[in-house]
Amino acid sequence: LPEVTGLEVLEAMTRDARVARVPVLMMGAQAGEADLRRAIALGARRWMSMPLDVPEVVAEVRRQMVEAQGGSAARGAGH
């Protein structure tokens, strides 16, 4: 993102009731431990490192959709 970071977008989302509950998967090539901890603290469901494994991304999106509909998929980053 040229103007703001993904973490800044996530932080703004947490303050906006319209989107605060939207599941967020963070994706990026570079993530230090501090960024990972901040993303989790801000509510990111998972951090996925580049290069992305497309089947893994699809499976995670499906898992999050099931959970959002009341399913029993695992919660939290790294699942």
Side-chain angles (χ1 to χ4, degrees), residues 34-59:
D35 288 339
L36 294 173
R37 278 184 271 143
R38 184 171 176 213
I40 292 167
L42 290 170
R45 299 288 179 98
R46 182 168 176 194
W47 187 291
M48 303 179 87
S49 297
M50 302 253 189
L52 296 172
D53 176 37
V54 174
E56 181 182 2
V57 173
V58 170

PDB file of all heavy atoms in Angstrom, residues 34-59:
ATOM      1  N   ALA A  34       7.629  -7.931  15.828  1.00  0.00           N
ATOM      2  CA  ALA A  34       6.786  -6.846  16.345  1.00  0.00           C
ATOM      3  C   ALA A  34       5.550  -6.654  15.467  1.00  0.00           C
ATOM      4  O   ALA A  34       4.449  -6.431  15.983  1.00  0.00           O
ATOM      5  CB  ALA A  34       7.583  -5.549  16.434  1.00  0.00           C
ATOM      6  N   ASP A  35       5.715  -6.744  14.144  1.00  0.00           N
ATOM      7  CA  ASP A  35       4.571  -6.610  13.237  1.00  0.00           C
ATOM      8  C   ASP A  35       3.582  -7.746  13.432  1.00  0.00           C
ATOM      9  O   ASP A  35       2.362  -7.539  13.439  1.00  0.00           O
ATOM     10  CB  ASP A  35       5.021  -6.587  11.776  1.00  0.00           C
ATOM     11  CG  ASP A  35       5.721  -5.301  11.391  1.00  0.00           C
ATOM     12  OD1 ASP A  35       5.522  -4.283  12.083  1.00  0.00           O
ATOM     13  OD2 ASP A  35       6.461  -5.318  10.393  1.00  0.00           O
ATOM     14  N   LEU A  36       4.087  -8.951  13.596  1.00  0.00           N
ATOM     15  CA  LEU A  36       3.208 -10.102  13.815  1.00  0.00           C
ATOM     16  C   LEU A  36       2.409  -9.930  15.105  1.00  0.00           C
ATOM     17  O   LEU A  36       1.196 -10.140  15.124  1.00  0.00           O
ATOM     18  CB  LEU A  36       4.022 -11.397  13.871  1.00  0.00           C
ATOM     19  CG  LEU A  36       4.709 -11.812  12.575  1.00  0.00           C
ATOM     20  CD1 LEU A  36       5.625 -13.007  12.826  1.00  0.00           C
ATOM     21  CD2 LEU A  36       3.698 -12.132  11.505  1.00  0.00           C
ATOM     22  N   ARG A  37       3.088  -9.527  16.168  1.00  0.00           N
ATOM     23  CA  ARG A  37       2.394  -9.319  17.450  1.00  0.00           C
ATOM     24  C   ARG A  37       1.361  -8.203  17.347  1.00  0.00           C
ATOM     25  O   ARG A  37       0.260  -8.315  17.888  1.00  0.00           O
ATOM     26  CB  ARG A  37       3.391  -9.017  18.562  1.00  0.00           C
ATOM     27  CG  ARG A  37       4.027 -10.297  19.122  1.00  0.00           C
ATOM     28  CD  ARG A  37       4.925  -9.989  20.276  1.00  0.00           C
ATOM     29  NE  ARG A  37       6.237  -9.746  19.648  1.00  0.00           N
ATOM     30  CZ  ARG A  37       7.115  -8.848  20.024  1.00  0.00           C
ATOM     31  NH1 ARG A  37       6.897  -8.097  21.050  1.00  0.00           N
ATOM     32  NH2 ARG A  37       8.244  -8.695  19.394  1.00  0.00           N
ATOM     33  N   ARG A  38       1.707  -7.130  16.650  1.00  0.00           N
ATOM     34  CA  ARG A  38       0.763  -6.016  16.498  1.00  0.00           C
ATOM     35  C   ARG A  38      -0.453  -6.455  15.690  1.00  0.00           C
ATOM     36  O   ARG A  38      -1.593  -6.119  16.032  1.00  0.00           O
ATOM     37  CB  ARG A  38       1.444  -4.830  15.834  1.00  0.00           C
ATOM     38  CG  ARG A  38       0.539  -3.622  15.747  1.00  0.00           C
ATOM     39  CD  ARG A  38       1.285  -2.391  15.298  1.00  0.00           C
ATOM     40  NE  ARG A  38       0.354  -1.281  15.133  1.00  0.00           N
ATOM     41  CZ  ARG A  38       0.479  -0.335  14.240  1.00  0.00           C
ATOM     42  NH1 ARG A  38       1.520  -0.315  13.429  1.00  0.00           N
ATOM     43  NH2 ARG A  38      -0.419   0.627  14.149  1.00  0.00           N
ATOM     44  N   ALA A  39      -0.229  -7.205  14.614  1.00  0.00           N
ATOM     45  CA  ALA A  39      -1.345  -7.680  13.787  1.00  0.00           C
ATOM     46  C   ALA A  39      -2.290  -8.542  14.611  1.00  0.00           C
ATOM     47  O   ALA A  39      -3.513  -8.381  14.544  1.00  0.00           O
ATOM     48  CB  ALA A  39      -0.823  -8.446  12.577  1.00  0.00           C
ATOM     49  N   ILE A  40      -1.751  -9.430  15.397  1.00  0.00           N
ATOM     50  CA  ILE A  40      -2.576 -10.300  16.242  1.00  0.00           C
ATOM     51  C   ILE A  40      -3.321  -9.470  17.276  1.00  0.00           C
ATOM     52  O   ILE A  40      -4.520  -9.649  17.496  1.00  0.00           O
ATOM     53  CB  ILE A  40      -1.713 -11.390  16.902  1.00  0.00           C
ATOM     54  CG1 ILE A  40      -1.204 -12.352  15.835  1.00  0.00           C
ATOM     55  CG2 ILE A  40      -2.500 -12.140  17.969  1.00  0.00           C
ATOM     56  CD1 ILE A  40      -0.103 -13.277  16.305  1.00  0.00           C
ATOM     57  N   ALA A  41      -2.626  -8.528  17.894  1.00  0.00           N
ATOM     58  CA  ALA A  41      -3.256  -7.673  18.902  1.00  0.00           C
ATOM     59  C   ALA A  41      -4.392  -6.847  18.309  1.00  0.00           C
ATOM     60  O   ALA A  41      -5.385  -6.570  18.985  1.00  0.00           O
ATOM     61  CB  ALA A  41      -2.213  -6.756  19.539  1.00  0.00           C
ATOM     62  N   LEU A  42      -4.258  -6.483  17.044  1.00  0.00           N
ATOM     63  CA  LEU A  42      -5.294  -5.696  16.377  1.00  0.00           C
ATOM     64  C   LEU A  42      -6.428  -6.558  15.833  1.00  0.00           C
ATOM     65  O   LEU A  42      -7.410  -6.034  15.321  1.00  0.00           O
ATOM     66  CB  LEU A  42      -4.681  -4.872  15.236  1.00  0.00           C
ATOM     67  CG  LEU A  42      -3.782  -3.720  15.679  1.00  0.00           C
ATOM     68  CD1 LEU A  42      -3.046  -3.133  14.484  1.00  0.00           C
ATOM     69  CD2 LEU A  42      -4.614  -2.648  16.388  1.00  0.00           C
ATOM     70  N   GLY A  43      -6.280  -7.883  15.939  1.00  0.00           N
ATOM     71  CA  GLY A  43      -7.371  -8.760  15.543  1.00  0.00           C
ATOM     72  C   GLY A  43      -7.189  -9.537  14.261  1.00  0.00           C
ATOM     73  O   GLY A  43      -8.116 -10.215  13.805  1.00  0.00           O
ATOM     74  N   ALA A  44      -6.018  -9.459  13.643  1.00  0.00           N
ATOM     75  CA  ALA A  44      -5.794 -10.256  12.427  1.00  0.00           C
ATOM     76  C   ALA A  44      -5.957 -11.727  12.764  1.00  0.00           C
ATOM     77  O   ALA A  44      -5.513 -12.187  13.814  1.00  0.00           O
ATOM     78  CB  ALA A  44      -4.407  -9.995  11.852  1.00  0.00           C
ATOM     79  N   ARG A  45      -6.605 -12.450  11.884  1.00  0.00           N
ATOM     80  CA  ARG A  45      -6.817 -13.882  12.117  1.00  0.00           C
ATOM     81  C   ARG A  45      -5.565 -14.694  11.828  1.00  0.00           C
ATOM     82  O   ARG A  45      -5.337 -15.725  12.431  1.00  0.00           O
ATOM     83  CB  ARG A  45      -7.951 -14.402  11.233  1.00  0.00           C
ATOM     84  CG  ARG A  45      -9.277 -13.736  11.491  1.00  0.00           C
ATOM     85  CD  ARG A  45      -9.851 -14.195  12.834  1.00  0.00           C
ATOM     86  NE  ARG A  45     -11.107 -13.554  13.093  1.00  0.00           N
ATOM     87  CZ  ARG A  45     -12.292 -14.118  12.848  1.00  0.00           C
ATOM     88  NH1 ARG A  45     -12.366 -15.308  12.341  1.00  0.00           N
ATOM     89  NH2 ARG A  45     -13.388 -13.450  13.115  1.00  0.00           N
ATOM     90  N   ARG A  46      -4.780 -14.208  10.854  1.00  0.00           N
ATOM     91  CA  ARG A  46      -3.586 -14.954  10.460  1.00  0.00           C
ATOM     92  C   ARG A  46      -2.682 -14.071   9.633  1.00  0.00           C
ATOM     93  O   ARG A  46      -3.141 -13.190   8.931  1.00  0.00           O
ATOM     94  CB  ARG A  46      -3.991 -16.182   9.658  1.00  0.00           C
ATOM     95  CG  ARG A  46      -2.833 -17.044   9.257  1.00  0.00           C
ATOM     96  CD  ARG A  46      -3.276 -18.365   8.726  1.00  0.00           C
ATOM     97  NE  ARG A  46      -2.097 -19.094   8.273  1.00  0.00           N
ATOM     98  CZ  ARG A  46      -2.138 -20.161   7.528  1.00  0.00           C
ATOM     99  NH1 ARG A  46      -3.293 -20.647   7.140  1.00  0.00           N
ATOM    100  NH2 ARG A  46      -1.042 -20.757   7.150  1.00  0.00           N
ATOM    101  N   TRP A  47      -1.367 -14.323   9.718  1.00  0.00           N
ATOM    102  CA  TRP A  47      -0.385 -13.668   8.860  1.00  0.00           C
ATOM    103  C   TRP A  47       0.139 -14.739   7.913  1.00  0.00           C
ATOM    104  O   TRP A  47       0.612 -15.779   8.349  1.00  0.00           O
ATOM    105  CB  TRP A  47       0.771 -13.098   9.667  1.00  0.00           C
ATOM    106  CG  TRP A  47       1.691 -12.281   8.812  1.00  0.00           C
ATOM    107  CD1 TRP A  47       2.531 -12.757   7.829  1.00  0.00           C
ATOM    108  CD2 TRP A  47       1.845 -10.878   8.814  1.00  0.00           C
ATOM    109  NE1 TRP A  47       3.190 -11.719   7.240  1.00  0.00           N
ATOM    110  CE2 TRP A  47       2.782 -10.546   7.822  1.00  0.00           C
ATOM    111  CE3 TRP A  47       1.280  -9.858   9.567  1.00  0.00           C
ATOM    112  CZ2 TRP A  47       3.173  -9.250   7.565  1.00  0.00           C
ATOM    113  CZ3 TRP A  47       1.675  -8.561   9.301  1.00  0.00           C
ATOM    114  CH2 TRP A  47       2.616  -8.270   8.314  1.00  0.00           C
ATOM    115  N   MET A  48       0.048 -14.471   6.627  1.00  0.00           N
ATOM    116  CA  MET A  48       0.534 -15.411   5.614  1.00  0.00           C
ATOM    117  C   MET A  48       1.702 -14.759   4.896  1.00  0.00           C
ATOM    118  O   MET A  48       1.585 -13.655   4.389  1.00  0.00           O
ATOM    119  CB  MET A  48      -0.583 -15.780   4.651  1.00  0.00           C
ATOM    120  CG  MET A  48      -1.791 -16.373   5.376  1.00  0.00           C
ATOM    121  SD  MET A  48      -3.144 -16.797   4.290  1.00  0.00           S
ATOM    122  CE  MET A  48      -2.627 -18.446   3.845  1.00  0.00           C
ATOM    123  N   SER A  49       2.830 -15.459   4.869  1.00  0.00           N
ATOM    124  CA  SER A  49       4.041 -14.912   4.271  1.00  0.00           C
ATOM    125  C   SER A  49       4.112 -15.201   2.776  1.00  0.00           C
ATOM    126  O   SER A  49       3.640 -16.228   2.308  1.00  0.00           O
ATOM    127  CB  SER A  49       5.273 -15.503   4.949  1.00  0.00           C
ATOM    128  OG  SER A  49       5.296 -15.131   6.303  1.00  0.00           O
ATOM    129  N   MET A  50       4.713 -14.265   2.079  1.00  0.00           N
ATOM    130  CA  MET A  50       4.946 -14.425   0.648  1.00  0.00           C
ATOM    131  C   MET A  50       6.196 -15.271   0.465  1.00  0.00           C
ATOM    132  O   MET A  50       7.072 -15.228   1.291  1.00  0.00           O
ATOM    133  CB  MET A  50       5.148 -13.060  -0.007  1.00  0.00           C
ATOM    134  CG  MET A  50       3.988 -12.141   0.199  1.00  0.00           C
ATOM    135  SD  MET A  50       3.109 -11.993  -1.324  1.00  0.00           S
ATOM    136  CE  MET A  50       1.982 -10.671  -0.937  1.00  0.00           C
ATOM    137  N   PRO A  51       6.317 -16.040  -0.582  1.00  0.00           N
ATOM    138  CA  PRO A  51       5.304 -16.190  -1.619  1.00  0.00           C
ATOM    139  C   PRO A  51       4.119 -16.995  -1.089  1.00  0.00           C
ATOM    140  O   PRO A  51       4.288 -17.906  -0.278  1.00  0.00           O
ATOM    141  CB  PRO A  51       6.026 -16.944  -2.732  1.00  0.00           C
ATOM    142  CG  PRO A  51       7.111 -17.698  -2.041  1.00  0.00           C
ATOM    143  CD  PRO A  51       7.503 -16.863  -0.844  1.00  0.00           C
ATOM    144  N   LEU A  52       2.944 -16.619  -1.526  1.00  0.00           N
ATOM    145  CA  LEU A  52       1.724 -17.266  -1.053  1.00  0.00           C
ATOM    146  C   LEU A  52       1.518 -18.605  -1.736  1.00  0.00           C
ATOM    147  O   LEU A  52       1.816 -18.774  -2.917  1.00  0.00           O
ATOM    148  CB  LEU A  52       0.520 -16.379  -1.315  1.00  0.00           C
ATOM    149  CG  LEU A  52       0.507 -15.055  -0.560  1.00  0.00           C
ATOM    150  CD1 LEU A  52      -0.630 -14.180  -1.063  1.00  0.00           C
ATOM    151  CD2 LEU A  52       0.393 -15.277   0.923  1.00  0.00           C
ATOM    152  N   ASP A  53       0.987 -19.546  -0.973  1.00  0.00           N
ATOM    153  CA  ASP A  53       0.583 -20.839  -1.497  1.00  0.00           C
ATOM    154  C   ASP A  53      -0.921 -20.731  -1.758  1.00  0.00           C
ATOM    155  O   ASP A  53      -1.713 -20.664  -0.807  1.00  0.00           O
ATOM    156  CB  ASP A  53       0.887 -21.927  -0.471  1.00  0.00           C
ATOM    157  CG  ASP A  53       0.410 -23.293  -0.906  1.00  0.00           C
ATOM    158  OD1 ASP A  53       0.491 -23.611  -2.101  1.00  0.00           O
ATOM    159  OD2 ASP A  53      -0.049 -24.045  -0.017  1.00  0.00           O
ATOM    160  N   VAL A  54      -1.309 -20.651  -3.033  1.00  0.00           N
ATOM    161  CA  VAL A  54      -2.706 -20.370  -3.391  1.00  0.00           C
ATOM    162  C   VAL A  54      -3.676 -21.352  -2.741  1.00  0.00           C
ATOM    163  O   VAL A  54      -4.679 -20.925  -2.164  1.00  0.00           O
ATOM    164  CB  VAL A  54      -2.885 -20.296  -4.922  1.00  0.00           C
ATOM    165  CG1 VAL A  54      -4.351 -20.152  -5.295  1.00  0.00           C
ATOM    166  CG2 VAL A  54      -2.075 -19.129  -5.481  1.00  0.00           C
ATOM    167  N   PRO A  55      -3.440 -22.659  -2.783  1.00  0.00           N
ATOM    168  CA  PRO A  55      -4.380 -23.566  -2.107  1.00  0.00           C
ATOM    169  C   PRO A  55      -4.509 -23.286  -0.615  1.00  0.00           C
ATOM    170  O   PRO A  55      -5.591 -23.402  -0.049  1.00  0.00           O
ATOM    171  CB  PRO A  55      -3.787 -24.962  -2.368  1.00  0.00           C
ATOM    172  CG  PRO A  55      -3.004 -24.806  -3.630  1.00  0.00           C
ATOM    173  CD  PRO A  55      -2.426 -23.411  -3.548  1.00  0.00           C
ATOM    174  N   GLU A  56      -3.422 -22.881   0.024  1.00  0.00           N
ATOM    175  CA  GLU A  56      -3.476 -22.543   1.453  1.00  0.00           C
ATOM    176  C   GLU A  56      -4.314 -21.289   1.690  1.00  0.00           C
ATOM    177  O   GLU A  56      -5.108 -21.221   2.630  1.00  0.00           O
ATOM    178  CB  GLU A  56      -2.064 -22.333   2.001  1.00  0.00           C
ATOM    179  CG  GLU A  56      -2.036 -22.013   3.478  1.00  0.00           C
ATOM    180  CD  GLU A  56      -0.631 -21.760   3.990  1.00  0.00           C
ATOM    181  OE1 GLU A  56       0.333 -21.791   3.209  1.00  0.00           O
ATOM    182  OE2 GLU A  56      -0.517 -21.515   5.193  1.00  0.00           O
ATOM    183  N   VAL A  57      -4.166 -20.297   0.818  1.00  0.00           N
ATOM    184  CA  VAL A  57      -4.959 -19.072   0.941  1.00  0.00           C
ATOM    185  C   VAL A  57      -6.439 -19.396   0.759  1.00  0.00           C
ATOM    186  O   VAL A  57      -7.285 -18.953   1.544  1.00  0.00           O
ATOM    187  CB  VAL A  57      -4.508 -17.999  -0.076  1.00  0.00           C
ATOM    188  CG1 VAL A  57      -5.449 -16.801  -0.057  1.00  0.00           C
ATOM    189  CG2 VAL A  57      -3.075 -17.557   0.213  1.00  0.00           C
ATOM    190  N   VAL A  58      -6.762 -20.176  -0.256  1.00  0.00           N
ATOM    191  CA  VAL A  58      -8.158 -20.548  -0.512  1.00  0.00           C
ATOM    192  C   VAL A  58      -8.730 -21.301   0.679  1.00  0.00           C
ATOM    193  O   VAL A  58      -9.841 -21.022   1.135  1.00  0.00           O
ATOM    194  CB  VAL A  58      -8.282 -21.377  -1.812  1.00  0.00           C
ATOM    195  CG1 VAL A  58      -9.677 -21.963  -1.966  1.00  0.00           C
ATOM    196  CG2 VAL A  58      -7.917 -20.520  -3.024  1.00  0.00           C
ATOM    197  N   ALA A  59      -7.959 -22.233   1.227  1.00  0.00           N
ATOM    198  CA  ALA A  59      -8.430 -23.012   2.382  1.00  0.00           C
ATOM    199  C   ALA A  59      -8.658 -22.100   3.587  1.00  0.00           C
ATOM    200  O   ALA A  59      -9.650 -22.256   4.312  1.00  0.00           O
ATOM    201  CB  ALA A  59      -7.413 -24.099   2.731  1.00  0.00           C
TER     202      ALA A  59
END
